Amino acid sequence: MTLNIMLRRFLIFPTLAAFSLALSVLPCRAQSFQPGEIVQAKAYGEPVQVKVVKQDSSGVQVLLKDWQDGTFKEGGSTRYYSPSELSRIGAASSGAAAASAGYGGNASGGSASAGGGGANVPAAPADLGGTGLLSKQQIVDYLRANVGTDGPHPRKEEVNAAVVEAIKKRGVNFKYSWQDLPDFTKAGGTQVVSYALQDNFGPPASQKWLIGPWELQFTNATGFFASRDSAAKMGFVSIEPGHTYIWKIHQDDPPNQWIDGKWREATAAEMKYQGGAGLVLLDGEQHWDWIVHKDMTANSGDWINVADINTRQMIRSGVRKLH
């Protein structure tokens, strides 16, 4: 056997052995996802964030975001993906795409600027800095600095949650409309920010602000816009400081039919996207519990909304009764 043949065998056989070994371990390198992990998938060709429920022989079961407020809800819709259809957000393999998509870098591949969406940037402060009513520009600038894209981003949900809490805490100095939507979306805002903007025009109401007599009206409005819609006059509700209330449901109800009840403070969950104080009238009209909060859509005057706490479909609007 010549020296050349011996050298070729020495070089080829170890290479083939290594290649065979690599093939044998490939199946073991399939992606594994943990319950609760937020990963990226595609829905109708668009990237979306999903939450892993479990991984089994059928694939990876994930929880989809609620279509109304864009959050993951227990008991929400789920579906299965194959592991290959999912990717970890901000993974190294998608670094180039991340830069062009606004993952804290610039389109030319430069490094992330201060306050950008890089993984090492501290969590966004919930108050956005300062005090008083937030302006549109403040919120847009904050979203742009911490997210900066209408596509996927590893901190998008976290940053939007912080913005919502800041809006609820401080209120905004502008009335949000559909024309504002593109500005917030392009900066990285999601629908939860839109909901909060709609519900928090002006300073948050204090509990003291809700105390007193309110003339009630019935409205057929489908949302909390009672102060702007045609309405039929009803009775009144008088909210007393000592956690009691008196409710005259109809205009012609005699005093012996008035409800003499108690109220409690509304929880943050019950207030949904609205900040400030709210309260719950216990065992009110139709023996239901009713939530009361300031009507932030009113163009002038002091208005409240009174709605059944379970469906929010039965609405009574109230204007402050002048003495």
Side-chain angles (χ1 to χ4, degrees):
M1 183 180 294
T2 66
L3 179 61
N4 286 339
I5 293 174
M6 291 176 64
L7 286 172
R8 282 200 298 271
R9 285 184 177 180
F10 176 77
L11 292 172
I12 291 172
F13 288 142
T15 303
L16 289 175
F19 181 69
S20 299
L21 178 61
L23 288 177
S24 69
V25 301
L26 279 176
C28 299
R29 299 184 65 182
Q31 291 194 91
S32 177
F33 299 96
Q34 301 301 314
E37 188 176 358
I38 307 298
V39 297
Q40 185 173 300
K42 279 196 173 182
Y44 305 103
E46 296 295 326
V48 296
Q49 290 184 3
V50 295
K51 188 174 186 178
V52 176
V53 177
K54 63 180 180 179
Q55 184 168 357
D56 53 30
S57 58
S58 300
V60 183
Q61 185 185 25
V62 299
L63 177 65
L64 307 179
K65 287 187 176 181
D66 183 80
W67 67 273
Q68 289 184 305
D69 62 14
T71 62
F72 294 112
K73 295 190 183 307
E74 186 176 352
S77 300
T78 64
R79 65 162 291 181
Y80 269 93
Y81 283 93
S82 68
S84 62
E85 293 177 298
L86 301 176
S87 61
R88 287 186 167 85
I89 299 170
S93 60
S94 59
S100 62
Y103 275 51
N106 55 41
S108 62
S111 61
S113 60
N120 295 324
V121 178
D127 63 0
L128 289 170
T131 59
L133 298 176
L134 290 163
S135 69
K136 175 180 175 179
Q137 196 61 51
Q138 277 180 287
I139 300 170
V140 169
D141 288 347
Y142 181 84
L143 286 168
R144 189 180 292 125
N146 287 277
V147 181
T149 175
D150 57 0
H153 187 280
R155 292 180 56 216
K156 196 167 196 175
E157 188 172 352
E158 169 201 350
V159 171
N160 275 265
V163 171
V164 168
E165 288 307 307
I167 292 171
K168 290 169 64 177
K169 179 181 178 181
R170 294 172 55 181
V172 297
N173 65 3
F174 65 100
K175 284 202 171 184
Y176 175 82
S177 74
W178 62 269
Q179 294 173 315
D180 298 310
L181 181 61
D183 296 328
F184 290 98
T185 302
K186 290 176 183 177
T190 63
Q191 200 164 26
V192 297
V193 170
S194 297
Y195 290 148
L197 291 171
Q198 292 170 21
D199 287 350
N200 291 279
F201 171 65
S206 66
Q207 188 179 101
K208 183 178 179 180
W209 188 92
L210 295 169
I211 300 299
W214 301 87
E215 294 179 343
L216 295 181
Q217 301 176 358
F218 169 80
T219 177
N220 58 2
T222 56
F224 286 157
F225 304 101
S227 59
R228 291 192 261 168
D229 289 85
S230 58
K233 288 188 176 181
M234 302 186 71
F236 68 84
V237 61
S238 181
I239 301 170
E240 309 298 335
H243 286 252
T244 61
Y245 71 87
I246 298 173
W247 191 344
K248 178 184 178 182
I249 298 174
H250 304 104
Q251 275 190 306
D252 56 355
D253 284 346
N256 63 354
Q257 292 183 12
W258 298 359
I259 300 172
D260 189 355
K262 295 184 179 297
W263 60 264
R264 64 167 174 81
E265 296 178 7
T267 66
E270 289 168 339
M271 291 292 286
K272 297 185 181 294
Y273 292 98
Q274 184 166 336
L279 52 88
V280 178
L281 305 178
L282 303 172
D283 197 23
E285 183 182 345
Q286 300 188 50
H287 298 289
W288 296 345
D289 293 342
W290 296 72
I291 189 167
V292 180
H293 57 73
K294 184 177 181 178
D295 178 3
M296 295 297 200
T297 70
N299 290 320
S300 62
D302 291 349
W303 288 84
I304 58 171
N305 282 304
V306 184
D308 71 289
I309 199 166
N310 291 321
T311 70
R312 311 295 174 103
Q313 297 301 307
M314 297 290 289
I315 303 169
R316 310 286 184 257
S317 63
V319 61
R320 193 179 298 278
K321 190 175 181 180
L322 300 177
H323 295 289

